[in-house]
Amino acid sequence: MPGSTLLTERPETAARTRPGLVLVALLTCQLMIVLDATVMNVALPRIRDDLGFSATGLSWVMSSYTLVFGGLLLLGGRAGDLLGRRRLLVAGVVVFTAASLAGGLADSAAMLVAARVAQGLGAAMAGPSTLALLATTFTEPRARMRALALFSGMASAGFAIGLIAGGLLTEWLSWRSVLFINVPLGVLIVVLAVRHVREPERHPARLDLLGAATGSAGIAAVVYGFIRAASDGWRDGVTAGSLVAGALLLATFVLVEARTAEPLLPLRLFADRNRAAAYVNFLLGPMAGMSMFFFLTQYLQDVHGYGALTTGLAFLPMAALVFATTRLIPVLLPRFGPKPMAVTGALLMTSGVALLTRLGTDTGYVAGLLPSMLLMGLGMGLAFAPLNVVIMTSVPPADAGAAGGVLQTMQQTGATLGLAILVTVAGAATRDAAAGGAAPEEVLVTGMTHAFLASVAIGAAAVLVALTFRRE
């Protein structure tokens, strides 16, 4: 039919002539997904009071999203390769937007958690296709590098932007607006994607259902185990059972992928040394960096008495520096290669966390916290933006969705794993300090500084991995 031909060709033509709108759609999608990992943090006290969450139940406002998102990312990435990346992007954003609206209208704790689960499903569908579409839409090397650097900046700065946005919306409107803001963003993304994003060539194949089941269940079990460890400790039976089950399922997943003709996760993605190192550092970086967001929000509010808005704005210099640094990646990466940038970025990020180990109850923002935030912002911008380029420019187009899914799985698992480890370290130090008769604020700060020490160790591991990059 002529009409149907026009409808199928129109987005392709528009995508070639309006690359700026394609970039806006994809970057907005990435920002929306990343924001929801942190934007709820500063709103949690008001959500608890409004919907009657228990102290332990409140953690599921964050964990339910993380669990579903992390567990289904690999499946979402491969499904995009097989079923159509633009199609899965649009479907995922629709699910995410509808879930956000339902969450904002929630009148019970159960309804809000269910909405967060649906948000995680939508994010897992849309996230990997967002990155894959960037890599396949911008084919000219310099344009692709610029687009991927902006994507990385949006991903890294999004954690801090989420705190700022959450503080603004919670302070000025209500916690429900933190979810409602996704509705106009989702509508904008869908309109731009349908009109301007070109659907890449699909690669028809059978979906690896056994791999999908073992991989998704394994990741979900590991993520749940670490979430459980943060609240119930490492000796809890359910924690141990989840981690053991997750490890067994992931081992089975690797065996399945090695023997499957059309795997969910092509193991050849790890054959290249630079790409493998980039994946490992996408795991270690968020493990080390999450401590700053989680603990400093508590420090600013509980020790210094900052409000939600002021707490969010305190992270603005770091977010701005991350995003500004990524703008330099198209110039710096061709000149220096990934190794010097990854090593320098990891060193700066680790140095920023190391400064926080000297935190005290009377540490000021300008003299004590701001230098650390600036080092972290510069380090994250230099360390992670090149990794996106290394991974996504070295895979064949047929594997772009799978490569993006693995990348985001590493980020999500690293953040969850790191937070669980650091909370456990902080909890042990806090109990010791309390037993010694320290004041409440000193107890809190003691736990945080011990967690920052653990972050420094993880950051040092990221530096060592960065040293393994080949010079190019």
Side-chain angles (χ1 to χ4, degrees):
M1 292 175 61
S4 61
T5 303
L6 178 61
L7 287 174
T8 55
E9 291 179 350
R10 181 179 171 185
E12 298 183 2
T13 304
R16 287 195 296 268
T17 57
R18 307 292 293 274
L21 292 178
V22 175
L23 190 60
V24 168
L26 299 179
L27 292 183
T28 302
C29 182
Q30 172 64 10
L31 179 62
M32 184 176 71
I33 291 171
V34 171
L35 282 180
D36 264 67
T38 57
V39 73
M40 303 286 285
N41 272 294
V42 293
L44 288 177
R46 300 192 186 186
I47 293 173
R48 178 193 60 214
D49 296 339
D50 196 9
L51 297 183
F53 275 95
S54 65
T56 54
L58 187 63
S59 65
W60 282 103
V61 175
M62 305 302 299
S63 300
S64 56
Y65 178 78
T66 303
L67 184 62
V68 177
F69 184 26
L72 295 179
L73 270 168
L74 286 179
L75 180 59
R78 203 50 169 166
D81 289 337
L82 303 181
L83 304 177
R85 293 169 192 153
R86 187 183 68 170
R87 176 181 298 175
L88 210 64
L89 170 74
V90 171
V93 172
V94 169
V95 171
F96 189 94
T97 304
S100 298
L101 179 61
L105 296 172
D107 58 2
S108 68
M111 183 176 177
L112 179 58
V113 171
R116 292 288 283 169
V117 168
Q119 279 187 305
L121 173 62
M125 293 168 64
S129 291
T130 301
L131 185 54
L133 283 167
L134 268 181
T136 55
T137 298
F138 297 90
T139 54
E140 193 275 320
R142 194 167 184 83
R144 177 187 287 180
M145 188 182 302
R146 187 180 300 112
L148 290 172
L150 286 171
F151 180 92
S152 179
M154 197 69 76
S156 300
F159 289 108
I161 295 171
L163 295 174
I164 297 167
L168 285 168
L169 293 169
T170 302
E171 193 85 11
W172 290 350
L173 299 172
S174 76
W175 67 264
R176 296 179 185 277
S177 62
V178 172
L179 290 162
F180 287 147
I181 193 65
N182 291 327
V183 176
L185 290 177
V187 171
L188 173 66
I189 295 164
V190 169
V191 170
L192 290 178
V194 170
R195 295 190 62 184
H196 301 294
V197 175
R198 179 177 59 86
E199 180 71 86
E201 179 185 356
R202 282 195 288 169
H203 304 273
R206 294 176 59 186
L207 191 59
D208 175 19
L209 295 180
L210 182 58
T214 54
S216 298
I219 292 172
V222 169
V223 170
Y224 176 75
F226 282 108
I227 290 172
R228 177 92 180 187
S231 59
D232 294 76
W234 296 100
R235 296 182 180 179
D236 175 70
V238 177
T239 297
S242 295
L243 293 176
V244 170
L248 292 174
L249 283 166
L250 289 176
T252 304
F253 170 71
V254 172
L255 291 175
V256 170
E257 298 308 279
R259 300 179 178 212
T260 301
E262 297 171 344
L264 180 71
L265 170 60
L267 296 182
R268 59 183 174 271
L269 291 177
F270 296 91
D272 179 80
R273 190 172 87 186
N274 275 9
R275 192 161 60 236
Y279 275 134
V280 173
N281 264 4
F282 261 123
L283 178 76
L284 295 174
M287 285 180 66
M290 278 300 292
S291 63
M292 167 171 278
F293 299 109
F294 182 78
F295 291 109
L296 284 189
T297 53
Q298 296 179 62
Y299 177 80
L300 292 171
Q301 294 184 75
D302 296 339
V303 177
H304 285 295
Y306 284 23
L309 175 58
T310 311
T311 299
L313 292 175
F315 288 88
L316 182 59
M318 183 179 69
L321 192 55
V322 169
F323 200 74
T325 304
T326 60
R327 300 287 291 172
L328 300 175
I329 298 302
V331 176
L332 298 176
L333 188 57
R335 181 173 181 180
F336 297 106
K339 184 172 184 176
M341 296 184 66
V343 171
T344 302
L347 282 171
L348 289 171
M349 183 182 71
T350 305
S351 299
V353 178
L355 289 180
L356 294 175
T357 61
R358 305 175 61 186
L359 208 64
T361 55
D362 57 351
T363 302
Y365 175 78
V366 174
L369 297 184
L370 185 59
S372 177
M373 289 189 174
L374 295 178
L375 284 171
M376 282 284 289
L378 185 60
M380 290 168 67
L382 288 175
F384 296 128
L387 303 185
N388 266 318
V389 179
V390 167
I391 292 171
M392 296 308 298
T393 59
S394 62
V395 296
D399 290 334
V406 175
L407 186 156
Q408 293 179 323
T409 300
M410 290 291 190
Q411 285 181 311
Q412 195 68 23
T413 305
T416 303
L417 171 59
L419 188 56
I421 293 172
L422 298 173
V423 167
T424 305
V425 170
T430 297
R431 286 189 292 272
D432 292 342
E441 289 185 351
E442 292 177 350
V443 170
L444 182 65
V445 172
T446 298
M448 292 179 182
T449 52
H450 278 74
F452 290 135
L453 278 172
S455 290
V456 171
I458 297 170
V463 174
L464 293 177
V465 172
L467 288 172
T468 67
F469 277 102
R470 294 190 305 270
R471 287 190 174 274
E472 295 182 352

